[in-house]
Amino acid sequence: MSRFLHSKYNSLTPYDTSGEVESLTGYIRLNTNESPYPPSPKAIEYAHEASRNMNYYSDPDCRELAVKLSSLMNVKPNEIVFGNGSDEILSFIFMAFCENGAAFPDITYSFYKILAGLHGVNYVTVPLRDFRVEPEDYADMNHRTIFIANPNAPTGIALSLNEIERIINLNPESLIVIDEAYVDFGAESSVRFIGDYDNVIITRTFSKSRSLAGGRLGWCMTNESLARDIRDIKNTIAPYNINAMTQAAGTGSIEDEEYTQRNIAEICRERELIKNALTEMGFEVLDSRTNFLFARHKNISGIRIFEWLKKRHIMIRHFSNQKINDWNRITIGTHEQMQAMLNALKEEIF
């Protein structure tokens, strides 16, 4: 780091993207939880059309997109705020609402810890129980903002709505942030809670189920008061944070819901096939409600499996965290990609 960097960032740990860039060409990408399918043709068409007016600033309020999405989600347009990916929304939340600290599981989306460090937020981590979030462990969080990924990452396990509501009821004086990046792949959305409680924010993304990871489009849904706070933060930092082409692509994606649902169904079918195949090969595989699987072999280390596949130009995600370093996260790709992975594993295991 340079001698000019603010001292408060001396211990900053950026998000780990190692291994991702090299997989852009010549690798089967099963390490970043992207969709293996291209965006909706309508999303591409709308983005192309929007490119003709790139000499103008984009709509800072994403009004057309907000109206379309509000209808789909059954919320009001002014209860939605858009971000440059849901990570930006999470950053706004850490900035705005974590004066009393934050709390999240010890094994979850690693960006929560990074954002806490970036914004100088004190945080506590709550251990999972057999890889599950236990609502009772979140009692008495002392006004901290609580972040729950549902389904969780990298485990893929989802909480029921009753369990989510239990966390909310245990913390009436805390803000509850429910990160639903993967909810479309088999979990239940908590969207109805934003009408029942004044302390709930739900974050979502177009990156996974809607094949727009490269477009960088996320959003949150919450009550009008909290939405106004987040919007004020956004407009102070980056009022034009969603470019015109991405807004148009998002609108096209929503208008082509059949395409999205067809891809989701295919990914879920393939997920179950691969889970069964891995189990037969001696893997323990957690019950996933996401577009990935979390698995470990009974006799072979996680890093050996990761390196074996990498040599064969197949990328999966391995974690250095001691609690999960025998586990790997495997994104669900196309049927052909997953068969290539299984064949490579069979070479090693058998």
Side-chain angles (χ1 to χ4, degrees), residues 126-147:
V126 181
L128 297 179
R129 295 198 203 180
D130 194 24
F131 287 115
R132 290 190 59 86
V133 170
E134 172 53 55
E136 302 302 321
D137 292 341
Y138 289 83
D140 193 25
M141 283 290 106
N142 197 26
H143 296 201
R144 293 184 179 92
T145 296
I146 299 170
F147 294 82

Side-chain angles (χ1 to χ4, degrees), residues 154-191:
T155 64
I157 295 175
L159 292 174
S160 69
L161 291 187
N162 286 339
E163 290 171 309
I164 290 290
E165 191 164 26
R166 179 61 178 156
I167 294 173
I168 297 170
N169 286 326
L170 283 168
N171 296 278
E173 301 304 320
S174 289
L175 187 66
I176 314 298
V177 181
I178 306 165
D179 183 346
E180 294 188 341
Y182 300 99
V183 74
D184 289 335
F185 298 100
E188 291 183 275
S189 176
S190 298
V191 63

Side-chain angles (χ1 to χ4, degrees), residues 49-70:
E49 184 62 29
S51 70
R52 302 177 190 277
N53 295 310
M54 293 289 280
N55 51 313
Y56 298 113
Y57 284 111
S58 59
D59 177 3
D61 296 319
C62 306
R63 284 168 292 186
E64 181 179 1
L65 180 57
V67 169
K68 295 283 185 181
L69 188 58
S70 67

Side-chain angles (χ1 to χ4, degrees), residues 1 6 16 30 72 101 122 132 136-137 157 162 169 182 184 195 198 208 211 214 253 264 270 277-278 286-287 319:
M1 60 186 65
H6 196 299
D16 181 16
L30 306 178
L72 182 67
N122 293 321
R132 290 190 59 86
E136 302 302 321
D137 292 341
I157 295 175
N162 286 339
N169 286 326
Y182 300 99
D184 289 335
D198 67 354
K208 314 302 182 182
S211 304
S253 172
I264 290 171
E270 190 66 26
L278 290 174
L286 299 188
D287 181 32
F319 297 88

Side-chain angles (χ1 to χ4, degrees), residues 68-342:
K68 295 283 185 181
L69 188 58
S70 67
S71 179
L72 182 67
M73 294 287 104
N74 196 29
V75 298
K76 300 173 184 176
N78 60 359
E79 293 176 327
I80 296 174
V81 184
F82 291 98
N84 193 273
S86 59
D87 289 340
E88 186 178 52
I89 293 290
L90 290 168
S91 184
F92 294 155
I93 292 170
F94 269 93
M95 293 175 67
F97 304 121
C98 292
E99 184 176 1
N100 295 313
F104 39 82
D106 62 339
I107 299 172
T108 191
Y109 185 32
S110 61
F111 217 56
Y112 303 151
K113 187 179 292 187
I114 292 168
L115 288 172
L118 176 65
H119 297 300
V121 172
N122 293 321
Y123 66 88
V124 296
T125 58
V126 181
L128 297 179
R129 295 198 203 180
D130 194 24
F131 287 115
R132 290 190 59 86
V133 170
E134 172 53 55
E136 302 302 321
D137 292 341
Y138 289 83
D140 193 25
M141 283 290 106
N142 197 26
H143 296 201
R144 293 184 179 92
T145 296
I146 299 170
F147 294 82
I148 300 292
N150 192 45
N152 194 23
T155 64
I157 295 175
L159 292 174
S160 69
L161 291 187
N162 286 339
E163 290 171 309
I164 290 290
E165 191 164 26
R166 179 61 178 156
I167 294 173
I168 297 170
N169 286 326
L170 283 168
N171 296 278
E173 301 304 320
S174 289
L175 187 66
I176 314 298
V177 181
I178 306 165
D179 183 346
E180 294 188 341
Y182 300 99
V183 74
D184 289 335
F185 298 100
E188 291 183 275
S189 176
S190 298
V191 63
R192 68 177 175 86
F193 293 144
I194 70 172
D196 298 334
Y197 300 94
D198 67 354
N199 62 331
V200 175
I201 300 175
I202 297 169
T203 64
R204 298 282 292 269
T205 180
F206 280 70
S207 294
K208 314 302 182 182
S209 61
R210 295 186 179 274
S211 304
L212 287 174
R216 310 309 303 133
L217 182 59
W219 82 95
C220 70
M221 299 175 287
T222 187
N223 63 68
E224 294 180 20
S225 178
L226 288 171
R228 189 181 305 113
D229 292 339
I230 298 169
R231 195 173 291 112
D232 285 347
I233 295 288
K234 178 195 82 74
N235 288 337
T236 301
I237 299 171
Y240 303 103
N241 61 333
I242 311 299
N243 70 72
M245 292 176 67
T246 292
Q247 291 187 37
T251 299
S253 172
I254 294 169
E255 291 185 5
D256 200 358
E257 189 65 11
E258 182 181 350
Y259 179 87
T260 295
Q261 294 304 320
R262 185 166 62 246
N263 288 344
I264 290 171
E266 185 59 36
I267 289 169
C268 290
R269 281 193 295 268
E270 190 66 26
R271 180 186 69 204
E272 298 311 305
L273 290 173
I274 299 304
K275 179 181 179 180
N276 292 335
L278 290 174
T279 301
E280 290 176 2
M281 295 168 65
F283 283 85
E284 177 185 357
V285 187
L286 299 188
D287 181 32
S288 174
R289 290 294 178 267
T290 65
N291 67 336
F292 60 82
L293 293 170
F294 199 52
R296 69 175 173 185
H297 196 270
K298 297 174 183 177
N299 304 314
I300 305 174
S301 70
I303 189 63
R304 180 179 170 188
I305 290 171
F306 167 81
E307 291 176 346
W308 175 267
L309 290 175
K310 185 177 180 179
K311 288 178 181 178
R312 283 145 187 81
H313 284 205
I314 301 171
M315 295 295 296
I316 60 175
R317 181 69 186 270
H318 182 259
F319 297 88
S320 58
N321 184 327
Q322 187 175 1
K323 290 185 178 181
I324 54 174
N325 62 6
D326 271 340
W327 295 78
N328 287 302
R329 192 192 68 195
I330 305 167
T331 303
I332 302 302
T334 65
H335 181 71
E336 291 74 21
Q337 289 172 332
M338 303 314 291
Q339 289 304 307
M341 184 202 69
L342 290 177

Side-chain angles (χ1 to χ4, degrees), residues 7-26:
S7 60
K8 70 179 180 180
Y9 297 126
N10 285 344
S11 61
L12 196 65
T13 303
Y15 185 70
D16 181 16
T17 59
S18 61
E20 295 181 8
V21 174
E22 66 182 306
S23 65
L24 284 171
T25 56

